């Protein structure tokens, strides 16, 4: 079943601006991950944040996790045209067994040149 | 780098045909997954496998079966393709049930 829900569903910004996407989930998790998907391609792992972490950085990416609110945000700073893609959050649920991750429906990000 | 390959990028089949989608990973991962992706529905897990000859149903296994005879290969089988199985199919592998590594996807159209 779908757990992660990204918000907004679509986002269009100018190149150079920052883009923020949010993810909410429903159950307790071991970790939360963000993936990027370019049009018609497979998903690429961006960053993983564990349940005992609050913030994590990787290059122009900043992820926050608030387990009390069951939410996460992905910030992309100084956006580039190449950042145009769909972004998915995925949770590794506690007690979810060996069935891997639960993905949200994604945020489609468009960077206008 | 981990590489996950899928046998076809695009596939067109007729209703009732038996369809095989192949996935191969080269990093000795124990866990492999098949998802389908549809607009507005995100990724939905069809089947997964955590070892050779082991398989578990995901959220939407109906109409599908899988085979894992070798560690590096995980096949998805549509026994009798139907038009509602037109979709993008994504294979993934994972060493530790954390980060997953995805293949490029197979866009299947059933006529």
């Amino acid at each position: 079943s779908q757990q992660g829900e990204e918000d907004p569903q679509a986002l269009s910004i100018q190149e150079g601006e920052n883009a923020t996407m949010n993810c909410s989930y429903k159950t307790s998790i071991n970790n939360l991950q963000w993936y990027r998907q370019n049009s018609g391609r497979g998903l690429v792992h961006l960053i993983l944040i564990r349940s005992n972490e609050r913030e994590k950085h990787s290059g122009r990416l900043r992820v926050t996790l608030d387990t009390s609110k069951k939410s996460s945000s992905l910030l992309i700073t100084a956006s580039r045209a190449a950042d145009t893609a769909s972004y998915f959050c995925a949770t590794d649920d506690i007690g979810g067994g060996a069935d891997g991750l639960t993905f949200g429906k994604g945020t489609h990000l468009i960077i206008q040149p | 780098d981990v590489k996950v390959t899928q046998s076809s990028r695009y596939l067109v089949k007729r209703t009732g045909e038996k369809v095989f989608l192949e996935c191969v990973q080269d990093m000795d991962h124990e866990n492999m997954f098949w998802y389908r992706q549809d607009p507005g529905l995100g990724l939905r897990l069809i089947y997964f496998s955590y070892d050779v000859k082991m398989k578990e149903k995901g959220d939407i296994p109906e109409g599908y079966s899988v085979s894992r005879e070798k560690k590096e290969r995980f096949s998805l089988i549509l026994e009798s393709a139907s038009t509602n199985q037109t979709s993008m199919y994504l294979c993934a592998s994972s060493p530790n049930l954390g980060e997953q590594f995805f293949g490029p996807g197979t866009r299947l159209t059933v006529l």
Side-chain angles (χ1 to χ4, degrees):
Chain A
S1 58
Q2 294 293 323
Q3 166 158 254
E5 292 289 340
E6 290 89 345
D7 168 50
Q9 290 187 341
L11 179 62
S12 180
I13 61 173
Q14 294 294 126
E15 193 168 19
E17 294 180 340
N18 296 341
T20 300
M21 289 158 271
N22 302 296
C23 170
S24 60
Y25 58 92
K26 296 175 183 172
T27 65
S28 297
I29 62 172
N30 293 309
N31 64 67
L32 184 144
Q33 303 174 35
W34 285 91
Y35 288 79
R36 183 187 74 231
Q37 183 181 35
N38 291 94
S39 180
R41 309 291 296 188
L43 278 70
V44 175
H45 181 263
L46 295 176
I47 196 164
L48 180 153
I49 186 165
R50 303 190 189 285
S51 60
N52 61 353
E53 297 175 309
R54 292 296 165 258
E55 187 170 313
K56 202 161 184 181
H57 297 253
S58 176
R60 293 184 296 113
L61 305 180
R62 173 179 168 252
V63 169
T64 63
L65 179 64
D66 186 336
T67 53
S68 67
K69 295 181 179 179
K70 291 186 165 57
S71 67
S72 173
S73 67
L74 171 67
L75 168 68
I76 304 174
T77 60
S79 64
R80 304 168 182 169
D83 295 329
T84 293
S86 291
Y87 292 82
F88 295 86
C89 69
T91 54
D92 178 10
D93 307 330
I94 291 175
D99 63 353
L101 304 174
T102 305
F103 284 84
K105 298 177 183 178
T107 291
H108 185 52
L109 175 65
I110 297 173
I111 308 300
Q112 307 277 4
Chain B
D1 283 348
V2 175
K3 193 166 184 182
V4 180
T5 57
Q6 295 183 227
S7 50
S8 305
R9 288 297 315 280
Y10 300 93
L11 206 53
V12 179
K13 296 291 182 181
R14 297 217 172 266
T15 301
E17 280 193 79
K18 190 169 185 176
V19 182
F20 292 87
L21 301 182
E22 304 286 340
C23 176
V24 177
Q25 50 98 1
D26 66 358
M27 283 302 291
D28 205 36
H29 289 169
E30 281 78 23
N31 309 292
M32 297 188 75
F33 308 84
W34 274 107
Y35 297 89
R36 63 176 284 176
Q37 183 179 24
D38 301 286
L41 297 177
L43 275 75
R44 293 180 291 166
L45 181 65
I46 305 171
Y47 267 97
F48 63 98
S49 169
Y50 51 89
D51 203 352
V52 175
K53 296 191 186 295
M54 305 300 288
K55 59 185 179 183
E56 294 288 340
K57 294 180 180 179
D59 296 322
I60 51 164
E62 297 78 19
Y64 303 93
S65 62
V66 290
S67 172
R68 190 152 180 217
E69 296 297 317
K70 293 184 178 181
K71 193 174 187 179
E72 67 270 19
R73 188 180 298 269
F74 192 34
S75 303
L76 180 69
I77 303 155
L78 287 66
E79 296 289 340
S80 178
S82 63
T83 55
N84 63 12
Q85 292 178 310
T86 291
S87 187
M88 168 74 107
Y89 289 87
L90 293 165
C91 173
S93 72
S94 173
N96 54 12
L97 299 178
E99 176 183 354
Q100 293 190 8
F101 298 84
F102 282 82
T106 295
R107 189 168 293 281
L108 172 67
T109 301
V110 182
L111 301 175

